[in-house]
Amino acid sequence: MSKTVKVILIVCACLLVVCSGIAGVGYYWVTTSGKQYFNQMSESAKSTVLEGAKFGRTTDQNGCVQEALNRLKSDDSFNGQLNAGIFLEGCNRTSAPVAGFCDGVPGKLDILKTNSWALQRCNAIGSTDKNCPQLMRAVQRVCLRDKERAENGKDNK
């Protein structure tokens, strides 16, 4: 066996040991601390949806968007962005509808139109928050979900 082949085999064996170690640590974390982390995240999301639904009973869809933007201003971390979107979705379930709220919402697979629409929507409400376009994607999900439910309801009649 040549020296080059031996070096390649040693490098491959080392990579295999390192990858196995990483996989083992990942498995250990998921089965111990990971379960607790995911349970906390799930409970937090449920609580945020309920909070949004409670707030939604007192406002309309535009009020939900404004409150979600206010929440983003106080916490623009990744978790803050997720929570604002979850809050918005919960809020829109119980808020008063606004005529034209979902007008022009692009399909979820139309990425270029989605980006353009989200920026236009942020400009229309006067938001300069850098996370506003991401929040508008939550509006898009709400509108597309409601549209799908309406279409399915018509099909079932």
Side-chain angles (χ1 to χ4, degrees), residues 21-117:
I22 290 171
V25 169
Y27 176 79
Y28 176 77
W29 181 81
V30 166
T31 58
T32 57
S33 302
K35 283 183 181 178
Q36 181 181 357
Y37 174 77
F38 292 124
N39 287 338
Q40 286 174 343
M41 292 297 290
S42 176
E43 289 303 315
S44 175
K46 288 176 188 174
S47 173
T48 303
V49 166
L50 292 174
E51 191 178 335
K54 182 178 178 183
F55 184 82
R57 290 183 196 96
T58 67
T59 190
D60 63 10
Q61 290 174 309
N62 290 329
C64 291
V65 171
Q66 193 55 52
E67 179 61 21
L69 281 169
N70 291 341
R71 288 168 179 257
L72 269 179
K73 287 178 187 172
S74 65
D75 181 7
D76 69 347
S77 68
F78 179 72
N79 281 343
Q81 291 177 34
L82 286 176
N83 284 333
I86 292 169
F87 173 86
L88 179 61
E89 290 189 37
C91 187
N92 273 308
R93 290 180 185 170
T94 58
S95 64
V98 173
F101 185 77
C102 291
D103 289 355
V105 174
K108 62 183 169 185
L109 298 178
D110 200 344
I111 296 168
L112 293 177
K113 283 185 181 176
T114 296
N115 291 337
S116 175
W117 171 83

Side-chain angles (χ1 to χ4, degrees), residues 69-70 72-74 76 122 126-134:
L69 281 169
N70 291 341
L72 269 179
K73 287 178 187 172
S74 65
D76 69 347
C122 290
S127 176
T128 58
D129 191 300
K130 67 180 183 194
N131 296 313
C132 179
Q134 188 63 33

Side-chain angles (χ1 to χ4, degrees), residues 135-152:
L135 188 63
M136 290 304 122
R137 288 178 181 84
V139 170
Q140 178 188 31
R141 284 190 303 274
V142 166
C143 290
L144 292 175
R145 182 194 66 221
D146 290 348
K147 179 181 177 186
E148 183 178 306
R149 285 181 179 166
E151 288 172 355
N152 287 339

